[in-house]
Amino acid sequence: MKTHHFVGEIKIKQSWWSKMKYLLFVSLFVLTLSGPAVEPKDSDLVAPQEMIDEINRVQDLWIASSEWVGNMTFAQAKLYASSKLEAKKFPEKDWGALLDYLSIPASFDSRTQWPYCTKPLWYGDDCNAGWAFAAAETMTDRFCIATKGAFNITFSPLYLIICDVTLPELGCLGGTAENCWDYMRTTGITSIKCFPYNPGDWNQYCPYDECRWGTEITLYKTLSVNTFTSPSSIQAEILQNGPIEATMTVYADFQAYKGGIYKHTTGGLVGYTSVKIIGWGNQSGTNYWIAGTSWGSTWGMKGYFNIAFGQCGIDRAGVAGPPDLSNIPTIKI
Ligand SMILES: *[C@@H]1O[C@H](CO)[C@@H](O)[C@H](O)[C@H]1NC(C)=O
Ligand SMILES: *[C@@H]1O[C@H](CO)[C@@H](O)[C@H](O)[C@H]1NC(C)=O
Ligand SMILES: *[C@@H]1O[C@H](CO)[C@@H](O)[C@H](O)[C@H]1NC(C)=O
């Protein structure tokens, strides 16, 4: 009786241990799949050389380089990814049946479609207001495209940075693309002539009803704000009305992007950034977007990058609207 009891206890112990072994194995497996359990520290390098080498070894869709990212820490990298994703306030553009019969080309680039409306990207320098730079650029392109080049004025990102200050807009510290478009719908945006942008010059007050030098301000608006949350809707919009603004997730490896078609390969979440999508292409079976940042001429391809469809939510949070041309009666379209 006692012996039996003893044997029984061993059996129980054995089966307990084998269950534990199984559990340990499963949890180790899950841990391995879900990556390192430790959050990156702010002082960690965002893209150390070993990581860059690994990216270039394990895939050949895109190239990583230390040229721009250098010894940037996670804390510094987060400043570049300061956009906020907001719950969708504005309606998805309703294309009706149009999307069914619109023929979407395999590739499209606003720069070759509308060369006379192509302007350089803004470089933010020490101001990381991607939400405002991409918005001002997109509005600039859209007014020019809608007027076939007749209205060719560059809009001022600085005006948005210092005047659109309703939270969560925080100037160079971050903001929300959708709110910015709402500001351009209700208040508007003015020209770069009225409100010049010089790097380091962003810490000033908003004059609201006059230009920087006291002259009369003219504000230009978007008629409405639409959101675009699928590749075909974004393609249709760009084909018909020009570039859109989009907000995407930034992972550590994106900061080391130099060229090619970006696909998130390794590295933790850094934040979000807002960019301008200007077209798309198809290479070796991969559909990709062509987009521009305000991270400077040494990041990516002079500030531009290609990114595979569906990556980092880039085609799920697009925003833009039609230009209100009623303010420019002297221009014949
Ligand atoms: C990064 O840091 C290392 C070690 O401190 C230094 O040798 C290297 O020059 C730095 N690289 C850049 C791009 O600043
Ligand atoms: C618009 O301005 C840009 C320079 O900002 C110039 O390159 C382009 O040719 C102009 N387009 C038209 C139609 O005047
Ligand atoms: C992209 O290219 C691949 C083959 O190269 C093709 O299967 C695919 O349909 C293309 N996509 C588009 C939208 O043209």
Side-chain angles (χ1 to χ4, degrees):
M1 191 91 161
K2 206 179 179 196
T3 324
H4 277 206
H5 189 221
F6 186 60
V7 169
E9 239 174 32
I10 287 184
K11 267 190 184 153
I12 287 167
K13 273 189 185 145
Q14 271 176 343
S15 75
W16 173 83
W17 174 236
S18 62
K19 269 185 200 147
M20 275 313 281
K21 273 198 295 198
Y22 175 75
L23 274 178
L24 271 172
F25 174 76
V26 167
S27 29
L28 272 176
F29 186 67
V30 168
L31 267 177
T32 314
L33 279 186
S34 57
V38 268
E39 282 277 300
K41 287 196 295 287
D42 273 358
S43 57
D44 288 350
L45 294 187
V46 72
Q49 191 60 45
E50 312 84 73
M51 178 174 145
I52 290 169
D53 294 341
E54 191 198 325
I55 294 167
N56 292 332
R57 191 175 61 240
V58 300
Q59 56 84 48
D60 57 10
L61 263 182
W62 64 281
I63 297 161
S65 150
S66 63
E67 184 186 336
W68 183 82
V69 76
N71 284 335
M72 185 181 281
T73 63
F74 252 91
Q76 291 166 325
K78 280 178 188 168
L79 299 176
Y80 287 90
S82 61
S83 279
K84 288 160 193 70
L85 265 184
E86 181 134 299
K88 218 154 75 78
K89 287 201 291 212
F90 293 99
E92 170 96 32
K93 180 142 176 177
D94 180 8
W95 291 99
L98 187 63
L99 281 189
D100 296 337
Y101 65 84
L102 191 72
S103 120
I104 293 175
S107 65
F108 185 85
D109 188 331
S110 297
R111 292 170 297 188
T112 48
Q113 181 72 13
W114 300 290
Y116 51 90
C117 291
T118 299
K119 300 199 172 148
L121 291 172
W122 282 108
Y123 296 148
D125 295 289
D126 58 343
C127 178
N128 298 297
W131 60 277
F133 289 112
E137 285 164 1
T138 305
M139 277 285 271
T140 300
D141 295 349
R142 286 177 161 246
F143 269 79
C144 184
I145 290 164
T147 60
K148 300 187 169 58
F151 183 88
N152 190 26
I153 286 176
T154 302
F155 289 131
S156 171
L158 183 64
Y159 178 78
L160 298 174
I161 292 166
I162 68 171
C163 294
D164 173 16
V165 291
T166 320
L167 285 175
E169 312 300 54
L170 292 169
C172 298
L173 298 178
T176 312
E178 270 195 42
N179 285 343
C180 184
W181 279 84
D182 197 23
Y183 187 83
M184 296 194 294
R185 181 181 67 84
T186 54
T187 304
I189 183 171
T190 193
S191 69
I192 193 71
K193 259 209 180 112
C194 170
F195 231 81
Y197 174 77
N198 301 305
D201 204 17
W202 49 268
N203 205 357
Q204 44 184 296
Y205 75 103
C206 176
Y208 292 107
D209 48 6
E210 57 184 36
C211 292
R212 179 112 183 255
W213 316 118
T215 49
E216 197 189 334
I217 197 168
T218 308
L219 291 164
Y220 302 90
K221 296 181 179 183
T222 183
L223 278 172
S224 59
V225 181
N226 281 112
T227 54
F228 306 90
T229 60
S230 73
S232 54
S233 177
I234 292 173
Q235 288 173 311
E237 179 65 14
I238 295 176
L239 271 180
Q240 302 205 323
N241 302 311
I244 68 156
E245 179 168 8
T247 299
M248 60 177 278
T249 309
V250 175
Y251 294 102
D253 58 351
F254 187 66
Q255 317 258 79
Y257 172 89
K258 188 61 203 161
I261 305 172
Y262 174 78
K263 257 190 187 170
H264 173 46
T265 305
T266 184
L269 174 75
V270 180
Y272 303 89
T273 191
S274 300
V275 300
K276 178 173 79 160
I277 306 184
I278 63 166
W280 58 90
N282 181 319
Q283 191 186 302
S284 326
T286 304
N287 284 319
Y288 63 85
W289 299 110
I290 307 166
T293 68
S294 51
W295 289 4
S297 61
T298 54
W299 182 87
M301 301 179 288
K302 293 189 159 60
Y304 283 100
F305 64 105
N306 297 336
I307 181 171
F309 277 26
Q311 283 286 304
C312 304
I314 188 161
D315 34 30
R316 289 202 301 270
V319 60
D324 178 355
L325 302 177
S326 63
N327 217 2
I328 44 173
T330 51
I331 286 174
K332 271 223 215 116
I333 298 157

